[in-house]
């Protein structure tokens, strides 16, 4: 381009024509390049969607066929005895709920500390960093950690160990969302509350929490969705249980572990139950995600 | 917050009630999991002992019983004497199983193909690569073998099945023993890996010309074509329960330390050459003698009433003499407080 703008305008007369030609060429090239990139992006999207759709389709195809009332009314049984998944479903619910119940208050308070008390402090930054590392830690490591502190010393696998492992996964997720949501609240709001004489704790509880409620609740739901499908931390902690058991001091069954063990079995009824369980978890988690999204949507 | 604490209170209240009396927990080998589950179902109804057996793999089973986090461990490969001694463990067998070759050769029916043992080893060594190889044709005059490449399939994950299969190949082929050897995972000379018995079965089903090895139950349940093998006596045998039992009967149980009997390529004329036992590991000095007693009660029940169940799931029951020897070892070796025998 700069060649046409030569010193003292001593360029050939064909200057403007050449300019247009160059511009056309560049524009064609740009458009062509744009189209290629667009096509690549669409192709990538299609690949992603096809993968997702085929996973969901296979899951529906195999899972719905295997679903029946017996899945919800009977516990796991040996091959050929028409067992269900009752103990696994209940075990999963118990451990997910208890894990969330243990992890959420801790996560909430850490998130509050980071947002309200330690925005730029060294300790706050350190806590934030550790929490982020924990967020991306492989869940099997968390299982092994709980194994060494709660399973080995007490001489047995237990439901409570499973709950604690899940709680440790819940904490950093809730920390992150709580802190992010509280940070979104304008400082003016806090200042206004302080101006009318509210102490800091009242500002946090009555103003900040109330304003950030949707976001915080969404974070908790996402944490539930994340731990509901976890297999690795449960393998080393709650182990699994073939029988109906609600005792938190005994090994406890769970859907992901049952799927893990049944999916590779030689027996068709076990494999079918694995599909049914996978369908239940997937759609449970999907439903939670949808609820979370609806909650996050600004109210009209 | 209120909601959370209420939920916590309700759950805690619900779970302190549901304590159980007679539960025993075991973990380990995947291979016997179906039969243990079935025995557990029968024992629960008959003697009120609830078995919780979790198939976490043989290695996991050994580690968990060494750490004493379960009442018993289970392993497909026998644990060596020194390790048992060091960790105060008693080892005994429960059932046996067979490993069978499976093939996908259109036009060749199940149990028609004869695989002399050295040829099976050469296939997995990559020395025989076509199904119409002269040596295979020579051994199978009555079968029309197609000109199809052989695709060997092996277990990509560490597995007791691989240990048994490679033990067999090591026993029958000096080349195999020298180049590859026997282990739960080995350096394969040819072929492709698949995860789990189910993975091998699925791959063989899909690939024309494939050959693999699986636990017999997987071949039977998936209706895969098995083959004949030549045993030590020089007979070609098909994988049948009778052939497996013949192998078990031919085993030298009485001279095997810790019941670690070798059932590979036994001498019986009707014997299937790839058979192995699966084992239970029990602490000799249990922390909780009552639970330990329940484990022995459970397996005693299974020995008395479980043979039919085992057979129906394609396992091979132990010979009666071996069961008695196992009971005697419980009495001799497992000691409660004051070194009193727990099993009377």
């Amino acid at each position: 381009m700069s060649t046409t703008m030569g010193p003292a305008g001593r360029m050939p007369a064909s200057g403007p024509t050449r300019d247009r030609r160059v511009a056309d060429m560049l524009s064609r090239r740009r458009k062509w390049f744009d189209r290629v990139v667009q096509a690549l992006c669409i192709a990538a999207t299609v690949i992603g969607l096809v993968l997702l759709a085929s996973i969901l389709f296979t899951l529906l195809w195999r899972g719905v066929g295997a679903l029946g009332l017996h899945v919800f009314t009977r516990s796991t049984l040996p091959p050929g005895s028409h067992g269900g998944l009752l103990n696994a479903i209940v075990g999963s619910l118990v451990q997910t709920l208890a894990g969330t119940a243990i992890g959420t208050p801790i996560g909430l308070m850490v998130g509050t500390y980071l947002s309200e008390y330690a925005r730029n402090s060294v300790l706050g930054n350190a806590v934030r960093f550790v929490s982020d590392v924990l967020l991306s830690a492989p869940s099997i490591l968390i299982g092994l950690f709980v194994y060494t502190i709660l399973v080995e010393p007490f001489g047995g696998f237990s439901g409570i160990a499973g709950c604690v492992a899940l709680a440790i996964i819940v904490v950093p997720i809730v920390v992150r969302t709580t802190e992010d949501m509280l940070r979104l609240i304008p400082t003016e709001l806090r200042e206004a509350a302080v101006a009318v004489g509210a102490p800091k704790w009242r500002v946090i509880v009555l103003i900040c929490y109330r304003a950030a409620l949707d976001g915080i609740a969404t974070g908790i739901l996402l944490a539930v969705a994340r731990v509901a499908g976890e297999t690795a931390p449960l393998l080393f902690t709650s182990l699994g249980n073939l029988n109906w058991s609600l005792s938190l001091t005994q090994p406890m069954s769970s859907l992901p572990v049952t799927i893990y063990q049944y999916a590779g079995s030689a027996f068709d009824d076990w494999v079918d139950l694995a599909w049914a369980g996978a369908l239940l978890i997937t759609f449970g988690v999907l439903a939670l995600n949808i609820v979370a999204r609806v909650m996050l949507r600004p109210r009209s | 917050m209120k909601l959370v604490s209420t939920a916590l209170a309700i759950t805690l209240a619900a779970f302190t009630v549901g304590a159980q009396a007679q539960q025993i927990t075991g973990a380990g080998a995947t291979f016997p999991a179906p039969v243990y589950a079935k025995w557990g179902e029968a024992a629960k109804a008959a003697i009120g002992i609830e078995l919780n057996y979790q198939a976490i793999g043989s290695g996991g089973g050994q580690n968990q019983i060494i750490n004493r986090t379960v009442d018993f461990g289970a392993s497909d490969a026998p644990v060596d004497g020194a390790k048992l001694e060091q960790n105060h463990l008693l080892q005994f067998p429960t059932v046996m199983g067979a490993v069978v070759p499976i093939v996908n050769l259109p036009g060749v029916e199940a149990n028609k193909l004869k695989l002399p043992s050295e040829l099976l080893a050469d296939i997995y060594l990559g020395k025989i690569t076509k199904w119409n190889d002269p040596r295979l044709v020579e051994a199978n005059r009555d079968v029309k073998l197609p000109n199809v490449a052989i695709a060997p399939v092996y277990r990509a994950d560490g597995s007791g099945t691989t240990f048994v299969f490679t033990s067999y190949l090591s026993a029958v082929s000096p080349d195999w023993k020298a180049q590859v050897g026997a282990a739960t995972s080995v350096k394969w000379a040819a072929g492709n890996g698949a995860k789990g018995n189910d993975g091998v079965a699925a791959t063989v089903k899909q690939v024309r010309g494939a050959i693999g090895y699986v636990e017999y139950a997987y071949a039977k349940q998936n209706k895969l074509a098995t083959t004949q093998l030549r045993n030590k006596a020089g007979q070609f045998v098909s994988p049948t329960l009778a052939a497996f039992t013949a192998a078990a009967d031919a085993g030298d149980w009485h001279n095997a330390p810790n019941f670690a009997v070798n059932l590979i390529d036994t001498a019986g004329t009707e014997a299937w050459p790839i058979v192995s036992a699966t084992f239970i590991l029990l602490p000799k000095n249990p922390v909780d003698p009552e639970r330990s007693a329940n484990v022995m009660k459970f397996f005693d029940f299974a020995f008395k009433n479980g043979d039919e169940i085992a057979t129906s799931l394609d396992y091979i029951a132990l010979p009666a003499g071996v069961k008695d020897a196992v009971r005697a070892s419980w009495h001799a070796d497992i000691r409660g407080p004051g070194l009193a025998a727990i099993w009377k």
Side-chain angles (χ1 to χ4, degrees):
Chain A
M1 293 271 268
S2 61
T3 50
T4 57
M5 305 298 279
R10 271 185 282 124
M11 290 303 291
S14 60
T17 335
R18 220 183 94 177
D19 277 359
R20 206 171 300 124
R21 220 173 48 234
V22 169
D24 281 353
M25 197 187 74
L26 281 175
S27 141
R28 262 204 309 280
R29 189 193 285 172
R30 242 191 334 261
K31 277 183 183 153
W32 182 81
F33 195 70
D34 183 50
R35 244 174 249 144
V36 169
V37 170
Q38 195 184 2
L40 283 176
C41 287
I42 291 173
T45 312
V46 167
I47 291 173
L49 284 179
V50 164
L51 281 177
L52 186 67
S54 77
I55 288 173
L56 285 178
F57 178 76
T58 318
L59 199 59
L60 279 172
W61 180 255
R62 300 288 308 258
V64 170
L67 221 51
L69 200 60
H70 66 282
V71 173
F72 303 97
T73 56
R74 311 190 64 167
S75 286
T76 48
L77 288 174
S81 295
H82 310 291
L85 291 170
L86 178 64
N87 54 340
I89 294 170
V90 173
S92 259
L93 282 177
V94 167
Q95 289 173 84
T96 306
L97 289 178
T100 315
I102 299 168
T104 301
I106 302 172
L108 268 179
M109 284 188 269
V110 174
T112 310
Y113 171 75
L114 290 180
S115 156
E116 305 298 315
Y117 294 95
R119 278 216 180 172
N120 296 310
S121 79
V122 176
L123 180 63
N125 286 335
V127 170
R128 190 176 298 114
F129 177 72
V130 170
S131 166
D132 284 351
V133 169
L134 200 57
L135 191 62
S136 49
S139 53
I140 189 101
L141 280 185
I142 291 165
L144 277 172
F145 167 70
V146 174
Y147 175 85
T148 54
I149 61 162
L150 278 181
V151 176
E152 231 184 319
F154 291 92
F157 296 91
S158 62
I160 195 81
C163 299
V164 170
L166 294 185
I168 294 176
I169 298 174
V170 166
V171 169
I173 303 176
V174 177
V175 168
R176 180 113 294 257
T177 47
T178 305
E179 190 197 355
D180 287 351
M181 290 303 145
L182 288 178
R183 272 174 180 255
L184 285 179
I185 294 165
T187 319
E188 289 77 4
L189 206 61
R190 295 189 179 89
E191 285 170 353
V194 174
V196 295
K200 187 156 187 170
W201 69 270
R202 288 204 117 167
V203 176
I204 293 170
V205 174
L206 293 181
I207 309 294
C208 298
Y209 279 169
R210 196 163 287 180
L213 187 64
D214 287 355
I216 294 173
T218 308
I220 297 171
L221 282 182
L222 290 177
V224 172
R226 159 88 197 276
V227 298
E230 283 287 351
T231 317
L234 295 181
L235 281 175
F236 284 98
T237 52
S238 63
L239 186 70
N241 200 325
L242 297 180
N243 307 295
W244 169 256
S245 166
L246 281 180
S247 167
L248 280 176
T249 56
Q250 292 294 320
M252 188 174 260
S253 188
S254 63
L255 272 177
V257 172
T258 308
I259 293 168
Y260 172 73
Q261 290 178 347
Y262 277 16
S265 132
F267 301 96
D268 285 343
D269 55 340
W270 274 11
V271 176
D272 282 348
L273 279 177
W275 281 107
L279 185 74
L280 289 178
I281 288 195
T282 310
F283 281 86
V285 168
L286 197 65
L288 268 180
N289 273 307
I290 291 170
V291 169
R293 276 182 187 253
V294 170
M295 279 177 67
L296 197 61
R297 196 178 292 159
R299 284 185 193 134
S300 49
Chain B
M1 288 299 282
K2 203 172 195 176
L3 199 78
V4 171
S5 52
T6 323
L8 192 65
I10 292 172
T11 36
L12 283 180
F15 298 105
T16 37
V17 192
Q20 266 141 9
Q22 303 269 316
Q23 197 170 107
I24 52 172
T25 304
T30 321
F31 157 66
V35 69
Y36 291 169
K38 199 102 181 168
W39 282 349
E41 187 186 31
K44 189 171 164 182
I47 55 173
I49 292 176
E50 267 194 353
L51 169 75
N52 175 28
Y53 181 77
Q54 293 297 320
I56 60 171
S58 294
Q62 293 177 18
N63 285 335
Q64 294 319 319
I65 193 60
I66 287 170
N67 290 341
R68 302 291 194 266
T69 54
V70 286
D71 298 318
F72 67 89
S75 173
D76 284 339
V79 178
D80 67 56
K83 196 174 175 188
L84 289 173
E85 193 63 40
Q86 191 194 341
N87 295 295
H88 307 289
L89 292 173
L90 173 79
Q91 172 174 277
F92 65 88
T94 51
V95 283
M96 291 163 286
V99 174
V100 299
I102 47 172
V103 292
N104 178 349
L105 271 178
V108 179
E109 282 169 51
N111 297 336
K112 283 283 185 277
L113 188 71
K114 292 188 175 107
L115 282 177
S117 29
E118 65 278 7
L119 297 196
L120 182 59
D122 282 352
I123 286 175
Y124 271 94
L125 282 172
K127 289 182 186 165
I128 297 178
T129 55
K130 288 272 186 188
W131 279 110
N132 62 353
D133 186 280
R135 293 164 73 195
L136 282 169
V137 172
E138 170 72 32
N140 292 283
R141 295 224 167 270
D142 48 347
V143 179
K144 200 176 155 353
L145 286 168
N147 179 14
V148 171
I150 303 180
V153 183
Y154 53 81
R155 286 284 290 273
D157 48 334
S159 112
T161 315
T162 298
F163 174 74
V164 172
F165 185 67
T166 52
S167 297
Y168 168 68
L169 293 182
S170 295
V172 296
S173 158
D175 281 357
W176 183 273
K177 195 173 182 181
Q179 289 177 34
V180 186
T184 50
S185 60
V186 296
K187 206 165 179 300
W188 296 92
N192 291 300
K195 191 195 161 291
N197 274 300
D198 55 320
V200 172
T203 309
V204 170
K205 235 180 199 175
Q206 281 157 17
V207 180
R208 193 159 166 258
I211 181 168
Y213 59 92
V214 290
E215 301 289 353
Y216 177 62
Y218 283 83
K220 192 176 162 187
Q221 298 287 333
N222 291 300
K223 300 185 177 57
L224 293 160
T226 49
T227 71
Q228 296 185 39
L229 284 178
R230 192 169 60 203
N231 63 19
K232 200 166 196 168
Q235 300 279 327
F236 275 102
V237 284
S238 295
T240 60
L241 194 63
F244 304 155
T245 312
D249 290 342
D252 184 12
W253 292 92
H254 297 291
N255 295 317
N258 301 311
F259 296 103
V261 66
N262 183 5
L263 297 173
I264 298 290
D265 212 20
T266 50
T269 46
E270 302 296 318
W272 178 254
I274 324 180
V275 171
S276 73
T278 184
F279 300 91
I280 293 293
L281 301 164
L282 207 53
K284 287 182 177 175
N285 52 348
V287 189
D288 185 340
E290 200 191 328
R291 286 177 84 101
S292 177
N294 280 337
V295 173
M296 288 182 273
K297 264 186 219 159
F298 173 81
F299 282 106
D300 178 58
F301 170 84
F303 285 164
K304 280 180 188 148
N305 307 288
D307 287 2
E308 219 168 287
I309 291 174
T311 314
S312 74
L313 292 174
D314 307 311
Y315 297 86
I316 311 135
L318 290 180
V322 179
K323 293 176 181 173
D324 286 338
V326 168
R327 289 190 188 98
S329 77
W330 291 345
H331 179 71
D333 289 336
I334 300 204
R335 301 282 156 168
L339 295 180
I342 295 176
W343 183 256
K344 306 266 170 13

